[in-house]
């Protein structure tokens, strides 16, 4: 299927697995790894790697090409794995290196690629590097992190006005023992590494080598735009001082770092890929991180994730991608949900119809698609009562456990409460029940991925935005004389529009009020919140 010069990752649909939320299959193994020390739901009620392995066939049936696995490394779990205390081991909550190797091998046997999360901006404060660094100013690891002296005139004032992510407060914590501030764009338990130190670059390359050697197909790189920092640490402009610095840092120094990481990853055999989390909210900013084809292979463009359910907003995002990325040969990505944002269905007001439209939007545009596990079930965020909140960033709802079947524990081998409550309607909205219903959103996702696989213009073709009435998004996909139209009615009433000529409905998002039937002649009308692909 893949053409020479056309790497697999350009055609791929990635499926993001947040290991805590996917499935728990081996509580006995966990109990012995934790030697009985653990009896709390945050550890014992979380998913494991074995749970992922058991459900690989779900992914094959669904038709995704690759898995992105969120962190499963050793971690004190202050940020549920994005605070890594050992980059080269598996946390006992999730499994072992042997279990990881088995998972990777079985994914590969099924033709699934797998990329892992690389968290280079910060470590855990429990990482041996930081433990050593804060033990003394003379520590050989001191310069792995970013330290600043207090201002003698105002020792209680942090070195600048940067605001941290998660909760209120500065990006600085004063270390009493050694009398200096250290930098952390996220929690105080996540000190930032100093990437201007060549020893850090080397240490982190050796982490990448560890996983590349084991056979991973690449990395999703966490907050990659934050690696290069201006050593003068200038204040955020006053009008942006309320925004976390992790969403503002956009420094030239990151680009040489990325060029080096790119050539490092490219030097391994096979087509390994880097997907950068560039959490900057203008597509023009994101575009720069592709470099001249020599930085990131792919960069997340999150701007569509911040659109309401609105044709105008989505249209502008499609146009922007074409205007800013195509001319520089940067291959786009589409992502509408993740472990950091409320699920599509919840964001768009709760209707399944809109979740179905989201399925079409994320898979039918020009670019690599990223699906967050559970979106294929049309899940809503869980309702998390205050007493059950665990995430300092307020992101628990979208991290609820995936319901696999209708049984009481929904296919999880639970010995304690799950770490978060199951999402709404799990008795009927679970993988097994939806698989038995061909009209379900799960089958819609499967049909979309199958269509993408069959139709080259949907994978590789141009995307041209058409002039349309308000509420309608129409994108013409085109490649070597083959074309498709993707039409999306964002309005809650019927709408009449057709591209010139005669068309057949190849796929409809379906749902309540849909007017089209696959295989029938397109009658020129769309049902409320209906999306179709025309051939
Ligand atoms: O997220 C980084 C990030 O900047 C946002 O997605 C974050 O939710 C926002 O800044 C909130 O203010 C990545 C990971 O995806 C996230 O889960 C981690 O918590 C974070 O990095 C720190 O590693």
């Amino acid at each position: 299927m893949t053409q020479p010069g056309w790497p697999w990752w350009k055609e791929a649909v990635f499926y993001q697995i947040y290991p805590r939320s996917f499935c728990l299959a081996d509580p006995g193994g966990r109990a012995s790894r934790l030697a009985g020390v653990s009896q709390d739901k945050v550890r014992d009620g979380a998913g494991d790697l074995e749970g992922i392995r058991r459900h690989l066939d779900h992914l094959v049936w669904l038709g995704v090409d690759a898995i992105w696995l969120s962190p499963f490394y050793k971690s004190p779990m202050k940020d549920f794995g994005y605070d890594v205390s050992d980059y080269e081991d598996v946390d006992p909550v999730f499994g072992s290196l042997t279990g990881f190797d088995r998972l990777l091998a079985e994914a590969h046997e099924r033709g699934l690629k797998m990329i892992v999360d690389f968290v280079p901006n910060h470590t855990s404060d429990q990482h041996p590097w930081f433990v050593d660094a804060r033990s003394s100013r003379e520590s050989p690891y001191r310069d792995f992190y970013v330290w600043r002296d207090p201002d003698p005139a105002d020792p209680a004032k942090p070195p600048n006005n940067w605001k941290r992510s998660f909760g209120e407060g500065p990006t600085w914590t004063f270390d009493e023992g050694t009398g200096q501030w250290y930098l952390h764009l996220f929690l105080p338990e996540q000190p930032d590494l100093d990437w201007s130190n060549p020893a850090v670059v080397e240490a982190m390359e050796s982490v990448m080598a560890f996983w590349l050697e084991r056979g991973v197909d690449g990395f999703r790189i966490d907050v990659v735009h934050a690696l290069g920092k201006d050593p003068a640490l200038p204040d955020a402009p006053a009008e942006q001082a309320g925004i976390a610095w992790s969403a503002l840092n956009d420094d030239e120094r990151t680009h040489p770092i990325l060029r080096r990481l790119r050539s490092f990853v490219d030097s391994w055999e096979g087509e390994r890929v880097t997907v950068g989390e560039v959490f900057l909210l203008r597509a023009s900013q994101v575009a720069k991180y592709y470099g001249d084809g020599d930085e990131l292979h792919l960069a997340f463009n999150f701007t569509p994730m911040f659109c309401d359910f609105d044709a105008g907003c989505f249209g502008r995002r499609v146009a922007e991608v074409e205007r800013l990325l195509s001319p520089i040969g940067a291959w786009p990505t589409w992502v509408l949900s993740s472990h950091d944002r409320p699920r599509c269905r919840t964001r768009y007001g709760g209707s399944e119809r809109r979740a179905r439209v989201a399925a079409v939007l994320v898979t039918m545009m020009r670019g690599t698609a990223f699906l967050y596990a559970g979106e294929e079930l049309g899940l809503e965020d869980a309702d998390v009562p205050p007493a059950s909140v665990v995430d300092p960033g307020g992101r628990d709802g979208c991290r609820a456990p995936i319901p696999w079947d209708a049984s009481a524990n929904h296919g999880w081998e639970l010995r304690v409460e799950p770490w978060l409550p199951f999402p709404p309607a799990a008795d009927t909205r679970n993988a097994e029940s939806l698989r038995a219903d061909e009209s379900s959103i799960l089958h819609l996702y499967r049909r979309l991925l199958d269509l993408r696989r069959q139709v080259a213009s949907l994978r590789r073709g141009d995307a041209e935005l058409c002039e349309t009435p308000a509420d309608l998004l129409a994108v013409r996909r085109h490649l070597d004389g083959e074309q498709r139209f993707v039409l999306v009615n964002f309005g809650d009433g019927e709408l009449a529009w057709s591209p010139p000529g005669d068309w057949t409905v190849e796929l409809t998002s379906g749902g309540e009020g849909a007017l089209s039937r696959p295989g029938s002649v397109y009658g020129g009308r769309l049902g409320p919140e209906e999306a179709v692909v025309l051939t």
Side-chain angles (χ1 to χ4, degrees):
M1 179 182 79
T2 306
Q3 291 184 344
W6 194 266
W8 66 271
W9 41 265
K10 285 192 171 181
E11 309 209 330
V13 174
F14 280 82
Y15 184 91
Q16 181 197 354
I17 294 180
Y18 193 68
R20 301 186 67 81
S21 307
F22 200 64
C23 186
L24 170 61
D26 182 21
R30 170 180 297 165
S32 60
R33 287 189 303 272
L34 293 173
V37 292
S38 169
Q39 271 304 311
D40 68 272
K41 72 171 193 177
V42 166
R43 286 164 177 250
D44 296 356
D48 58 9
L49 294 186
E50 179 60 11
I52 301 172
R53 194 185 70 78
R54 300 257 181 106
H55 287 292
L56 286 174
D57 288 331
H58 170 75
L59 306 188
V60 173
W61 177 85
L62 185 60
V64 301
D65 304 290
I67 297 169
W68 148 31
L69 204 52
S70 278
F72 50 84
Y73 314 111
K74 269 208 174 121
S75 165
M77 305 287 170
K78 298 290 180 204
D79 188 12
F80 295 111
Y82 284 95
D83 49 324
V84 181
S85 55
D86 184 348
Y87 288 104
E88 299 182 0
D89 205 353
V90 175
D91 194 279
V93 165
F94 297 123
S96 62
L97 275 174
T98 316
F100 174 84
D101 290 340
R102 183 169 180 205
L103 172 62
L104 181 62
E106 293 196 17
H108 281 165
E109 271 165 31
R110 287 166 171 77
L112 295 167
K113 307 271 189 189
M114 192 158 100
I115 67 169
V116 295
D117 224 300
F118 178 51
V119 189
N121 178 67
H122 43 267
T123 66
S124 159
D125 65 342
Q126 301 305 307
H127 193 290
W129 299 338
F130 191 72
V131 172
D132 200 280
R134 85 186 306 179
S135 70
S136 138
R137 289 204 194 190
E138 275 67 57
S139 156
Y141 290 100
R142 186 75 174 177
D143 295 341
F144 267 45
Y145 297 89
V146 183
W147 299 91
R148 285 294 181 277
D149 284 328
D151 177 352
D154 190 357
K157 190 172 160 254
N160 67 12
N161 73 349
W162 293 358
K163 188 182 163 314
R164 72 172 163 100
S165 279
F166 314 142
E168 290 305 309
T171 60
W172 299 94
T173 291
F174 189 69
D175 181 55
E176 296 289 344
T178 56
Q180 284 187 310
W181 298 90
Y182 68 86
L183 178 70
H184 52 87
L185 300 193
F186 297 88
L187 298 173
E189 294 89 350
Q190 294 169 293
D192 278 42
L193 286 164
D194 183 352
W195 276 77
S196 72
N197 178 353
V200 167
V201 181
E202 268 172 42
M204 293 306 278
E205 274 181 353
S206 112
V207 169
M208 291 180 125
F210 180 87
W211 294 102
L212 290 165
E213 191 90 41
R214 294 194 107 80
V216 304
D217 298 291
F219 303 97
R220 176 268 189 189
I221 311 183
D222 195 54
V223 287
V224 73
H225 61 291
L227 297 185
K229 291 175 185 98
D230 183 342
L233 304 168
D235 273 346
E239 68 279 10
Q240 293 182 319
I243 303 174
W245 186 256
S246 65
L248 296 175
N249 190 84
D250 184 15
D251 189 83
E252 285 306 317
R253 289 165 189 81
T254 301
H255 300 291
I257 298 171
L258 288 183
R259 285 196 288 276
R260 176 160 170 174
L261 292 186
R262 166 70 176 257
S263 58
F264 183 77
V265 170
D266 281 353
S267 72
W268 292 74
E269 65 169 23
E271 291 174 310
R272 319 280 178 123
V273 65
T274 55
V275 188
E277 186 201 22
V278 181
F279 195 81
L280 295 168
L281 293 180
R282 287 204 306 271
S284 56
Q285 290 177 298
V286 175
K288 290 188 297 182
Y289 290 80
Y290 288 86
D292 192 8
D294 58 356
E295 296 187 32
L296 294 168
H297 298 89
L298 294 171
F300 286 144
N301 174 30
F302 289 129
T303 59
M305 197 152 72
F306 289 87
C307 282
D308 290 336
F309 193 76
D310 175 66
C313 187
F314 271 97
R316 287 191 291 280
R317 299 292 92 97
V318 173
E320 220 165 61
V321 161
E322 294 310 315
R323 182 164 46 83
L324 297 167
L325 299 189
S326 294
I328 60 166
W331 187 250
T333 59
W334 291 89
V335 44
L336 291 180
S337 53
S338 77
H339 65 297
D340 287 334
R341 293 275 297 149
R343 289 188 176 277
C344 284
R345 179 155 172 204
T346 300
R347 289 205 317 273
Y348 297 153
S351 82
E352 187 190 279
R353 214 159 60 180
R354 291 183 175 189
R356 286 170 175 264
V357 166
V360 174
L361 289 170
V362 75
T363 54
M364 294 288 108
M365 299 296 119
R366 189 176 74 92
T368 303
F370 289 82
L371 311 181
Y372 176 49
E375 290 295 283
E376 77 277 24
L377 306 179
L379 296 181
E380 287 179 86
D381 278 14
D383 188 11
V384 182
S388 302
V389 166
V390 290
D391 177 42
R395 299 162 294 182
D396 290 328
C398 65
R399 298 175 178 182
I402 303 288
W404 290 99
D405 61 35
S407 70
N409 285 336
H410 301 300
W412 286 58
E413 298 290 333
L414 289 164
R415 294 178 174 181
V416 297
E417 290 282 290
W419 75 296
L420 287 168
F422 281 98
D427 289 348
T428 48
R429 191 169 287 285
N430 57 68
E432 191 177 79
S433 305
L434 297 190
R435 194 160 159 172
D437 171 7
E438 289 220 2
S439 68
S440 69
I441 186 170
L442 176 60
H443 279 266
L444 168 64
Y445 266 99
R446 185 170 188 244
R447 278 195 287 274
L448 283 162
L449 300 193
D450 185 52
L451 189 62
R452 217 180 129 107
R453 187 164 278 130
Q454 306 300 328
V455 180
S457 59
L458 292 173
R459 295 195 307 277
R460 298 197 288 267
D462 302 339
E464 183 194 319
L465 201 59
C466 310
E467 287 278 340
T468 55
D471 280 348
L472 181 68
L473 175 79
V475 179
R476 176 177 177 259
R477 302 296 313 274
H478 171 258
L479 179 78
D480 300 337
E482 176 188 275
Q483 65 172 345
R484 293 293 187 278
F485 274 87
V486 182
L487 310 187
V488 181
N489 177 11
F490 283 82
D492 58 7
E494 289 182 16
L495 190 151
W497 191 84
S498 178
D502 297 326
W503 298 91
T504 300
V505 176
E506 198 164 31
L507 176 143
T508 165
S509 60
E512 207 188 325
L515 293 181
S516 305
R517 270 204 331 280
S520 65
V521 171
Y522 174 59
R525 297 183 74 76
L526 292 165
E529 295 171 353
E530 180 178 19
V532 294
V533 179
L534 302 181
T535 182

